[in-house]
Amino acid sequence: MSFQNPVFIPGPTNMPEAIRKACDMPTIDHRSPLFGQILHPARAGVQEILKSDSAEIFIFPSTGTGGWETAITNTLSAGDTVLAARNGMFSHRWIDMCQRHELDVQIVDAPWGHGLPADRYTEILADDKEHKIKVVLATHNETATGVKSDIAAVRKALDDAGHPALLFVDGVSSIGSMDFRFDEWGVDIAVTGSQKGFMLPAGLAILGFSQKALDANKTAGLPRTFFDIADMTKGYAANAYPYTPAVGLMNGLLLATETLLKEGLDNVFARHTRIASGVRAAVNAWGLELCAATPDVYSDTVSAIKTPDGFNATDIVTHAAEKYGVAFGVGLGEVAGKVFRIGHLGSMTDVMALSGIATAEMCMVDLGLDIQLGSGVAAAQEVYRSTTGVALKDAA
Ligand SMILES: *Cc1c(COP(=O)(O)O)cnc(C)c1O
């Protein structure tokens, strides 16, 4: 008997059986046309999921964090100025990485629970007449707070100021689950990883580069070896890597892109919105609030739920793991102990979400919070009953 329950952490996410099996394959020569038959279609699938016709796709044996490092080291030189908003743990960490690489980061602090302040970007970019700012960083979905930001508004801030800075977007917890428009938003680098929307184990950093970002690579002075995209480009031309690729994960990625595209991106996004709506209805029924301040920033991949003052939200996560064998996410950084997180991205159905909501309820009641058992489940059931569910015949 296996006691495996679905996980409700915002990555790594649950793996569909077929995708998990696709990672388990016999050894092949990773410098051969056979590997090319995995590499190139996987890259094409990622490009389509980014909604781009021309982005150059790079896949490193790494994680999202390595994707951040790939982005900055391939395009910037020490002392370059970067503009970044900090509204949660992940935007904070990317800023920290930039500083460790001796970049000069102009930080705009926004309250945790709010989106990145595009209006402040507009002012700062308009004031930067000498165009000292080389790159603008934007975290599309702050996984720590369950907050999505408006990337089109960041592009507009750049365009309104007539500013040539590159736009780098962290889409680690949005790409493949929430609408992402590389070409339309004029994104120069998009960063993601394998273990969130792509429903794979951790182990791949996945990036899209625009032509402008590729051009910046020619003059970028920051040291890089493992993450050098010029070496990688040479490798790809020969169906290979500059080193040994994670072939099984790449095979899984190929199937993951096919699976998402077969479901249809609009259907994937609608499914995430529906499931998230049910979770939000449950939170409301519990009389609790999201960390996300306003509906326009609600994330469809993760909900960070505030617990009453004086209560340690992390106890819910510990209790769920110990008593029910279910994983929720803890609060990070500034909101540690104040929120717990329900991840609802990737391989997730209405029914799975209901089990997570039911478990969260049991934990909160066990721990003495004034919650009515079944209240959140009932609220989510109404959402799921009244919206079109998974087309099971297509999901087979
Ligand atoms: C998970 C995550 C990361 C970090 O990715 P790793 O794969 O853990 O290195 C970065 N940014 C966001 C928004 C994330 O959700």
Side-chain angles (χ1 to χ4, degrees):
M1 161 83 195
S2 157
F3 293 95
Q4 178 68 56
N5 288 313
V7 294
F8 297 95
I9 44 178
T13 61
N14 300 292
M15 290 184 274
E17 196 62 8
I19 291 180
R20 191 166 70 84
K21 284 186 177 147
C23 298
D24 178 2
M25 60 178 286
T27 307
I28 61 162
D29 179 0
H30 61 282
R31 298 181 187 278
S32 70
L34 194 55
F35 177 61
Q37 287 169 25
I38 299 170
L39 170 68
H40 299 302
R43 292 172 68 225
V46 170
Q47 190 192 56
E48 196 170 340
I49 287 165
L50 292 181
K51 293 193 176 170
S52 177
D53 292 331
S54 56
E56 200 63 44
I57 307 301
F58 295 102
I59 302 164
F60 291 88
S62 182
T63 70
T65 305
W68 288 341
E69 192 157 328
T70 302
I72 62 175
T73 59
N74 277 283
T75 53
L76 292 164
S77 303
D80 278 352
T81 303
V82 169
L83 173 63
R86 180 164 53 197
N87 62 337
M89 201 61 194
F90 292 93
S91 40
H92 166 73
R93 285 189 186 148
W94 203 4
I95 288 169
D96 174 58
M97 176 186 278
C98 289
Q99 290 170 332
R100 294 197 210 186
H101 281 85
E102 294 178 17
L103 298 170
D104 177 12
V105 190
Q106 193 165 341
I107 302 168
V108 182
D109 272 303
W112 288 36
H114 291 249
L116 67 79
D119 47 343
R120 285 286 296 130
Y121 276 18
T122 308
E123 290 165 18
I124 292 166
L125 291 166
D127 283 349
D128 180 31
K129 304 272 187 259
E130 294 166 37
H131 296 163
K132 281 185 68 181
I133 297 168
K134 298 293 178 231
V135 165
V136 173
L137 301 184
T139 301
H140 185 204
N141 190 71
E142 236 314 336
T143 318
T145 55
V147 162
K148 81 166 173 228
S149 284
D150 184 352
I151 303 303
V154 179
R155 166 45 59 198
K156 188 168 183 306
L158 281 156
D159 290 350
D160 287 354
H163 202 292
L166 299 170
L167 172 59
F168 294 178
V169 182
D170 173 344
V172 180
S173 61
S174 60
I175 290 169
S177 312
M178 286 160 53
D179 197 9
F180 191 94
R181 304 180 180 200
F182 189 94
D183 286 0
E184 190 183 313
W185 294 341
V187 174
D188 291 298
I189 298 183
V191 178
T192 189
S194 48
Q195 79 276 25
K196 300 196 182 171
F198 288 115
M199 307 169 283
L200 288 160
L204 299 176
I206 301 163
L207 298 102
F209 272 60
S210 71
Q211 189 55 51
K212 230 170 114 182
L214 294 172
D215 291 344
N217 183 241
K218 297 185 182 111
T219 51
L222 283 179
R224 55 191 177 269
T225 45
F226 188 81
F227 291 121
D228 195 306
I229 60 160
D231 293 347
M232 196 57 103
T233 302
K234 277 186 219 147
Y236 287 172
N239 296 317
Y241 266 50
Y243 37 77
T244 316
V247 178
L249 280 174
M250 304 275 301
N251 198 47
L253 178 63
L254 172 55
L255 184 61
T257 59
E258 288 170 354
T259 304
L260 289 167
L261 293 168
K262 186 170 163 226
E263 183 180 350
L265 291 181
D266 287 345
N267 296 331
V268 171
F269 304 149
R271 173 167 56 82
H272 281 83
T273 301
R274 190 184 63 251
I275 289 173
S277 304
V279 173
R280 293 192 281 260
V283 172
N284 187 48
W286 294 332
L288 297 178
E289 284 181 358
L290 293 171
C291 181
T294 48
D296 56 311
V297 299
Y298 289 169
S299 165
D300 283 345
T301 59
V302 53
S303 296
I305 300 155
K306 292 198 272 191
T307 52
D309 284 344
F311 181 87
N312 182 3
T314 302
D315 289 347
I316 294 173
V317 179
T318 310
H319 186 74
E322 286 176 355
K323 185 162 178 193
Y324 300 110
V326 168
F328 295 111
V330 296
L332 301 172
E334 218 173 86
V335 292
K338 295 181 181 157
V339 307
F340 75 103
R341 294 176 299 155
I342 301 183
H344 35 77
L345 74 163
S347 178
M348 182 69 57
T349 64
D350 302 356
V351 168
M352 287 160 85
L354 286 171
S355 75
I357 294 165
T359 308
E361 268 172 8
M362 291 194 285
C363 293
M364 290 189 285
V365 172
D366 290 348
L367 295 169
L369 285 183
D370 184 18
I371 302 275
Q372 183 68 43
L373 274 184
S375 58
V377 170
Q381 283 170 324
E382 287 303 341
V383 171
Y384 299 149
R385 245 165 39 83
S386 61
T387 50
T388 320
V390 181
L392 291 174
K393 60 177 173 27
D394 298 335

